[in-house]
Amino acid sequence: MLVITEPSGQPLKAVLNTPRAAVRPNPGNRFALDHDWYEANIQLLAGGEYQIGQQVVAQLAQEASRLLRGDQPLKAESWKIGLKPIPGDGDPVLGELQKVPGCYVAFSHYGATLALIVGELLADEIVSGEKHPMLASFGAERFS
């Protein structure tokens, strides 16, 4: 589940990953919130859609509010529920595809925290043509 808050005056310039809430800045002075402690509360409906109780959404917003300065609580404006696109082993898929030379991939559910370093490492590899050792264990071929 990903919750987007109502606009807030709370300042935040970093991504917070804590035991009860993950918080990242979002456009329009909003925050994007998620975590995994509530996954057992998500229900799959017969039509293939998901639902969760509004009290769980409010609890996540409350947990995130505790991480920020001030006394203005965060309020959920919207939320979406679905399957997370997580590679089978939980690690990102990064680098050049061996079977399609010149085609590079960057697939991860850690985008907000890894995007800058992944972009830098992949750009270096693409420009230099040399494999970066930090990307070696993240190739797509590990699944074949």
Side-chain angles (χ1 to χ4, degrees):
M1 174 175 69
L2 182 67
V3 174
I4 304 299
T5 68
E6 294 178 354
S8 171
Q10 299 276 18
L12 180 65
K13 294 183 180 182
V15 174
L16 305 176
N17 288 310
T18 72
R20 294 289 294 172
V23 183
R24 69 171 164 78
N26 215 52
N29 295 322
R30 291 170 169 79
F31 297 102
L33 316 175
D34 76 319
H35 210 276
D36 61 4
W37 58 261
Y38 49 75
E39 287 178 356
N41 298 96
I42 296 173
Q43 299 172 344
L44 175 61
L45 303 177
E49 294 187 18
Y50 296 90
Q51 76 175 12
I52 194 165
Q54 193 163 355
Q55 75 280 6
V56 178
V57 175
Q59 186 178 355
L60 178 60
Q62 181 181 27
E63 297 284 353
S65 296
R66 292 182 181 141
L67 302 172
L68 304 174
R69 292 182 190 156
D71 57 359
Q72 180 187 18
L74 297 174
K75 293 189 171 115
E77 183 174 82
S78 65
W79 57 93
K80 304 286 186 236
I81 306 172
L83 298 175
K84 267 188 175 180
I86 301 173
D89 62 2
D91 288 332
V93 177
L94 307 169
E96 185 176 25
L97 298 176
Q98 290 177 2
K99 293 183 179 179
V100 188
C103 180
Y104 288 79
V105 296
F107 177 77
S108 174
H109 68 289
Y110 298 113
T113 53
L114 291 181
L116 294 176
I117 187 65
V118 165
E120 186 175 322
L121 295 175
L122 282 175
D124 182 65
E125 191 171 291
I126 292 166
V127 171
S128 73
E130 295 186 26
K131 304 289 183 202
H132 197 287
M134 288 180 68
L135 299 177
S137 64
F138 297 105
E141 287 72 20
R142 71 183 190 266
F143 295 109
S144 47

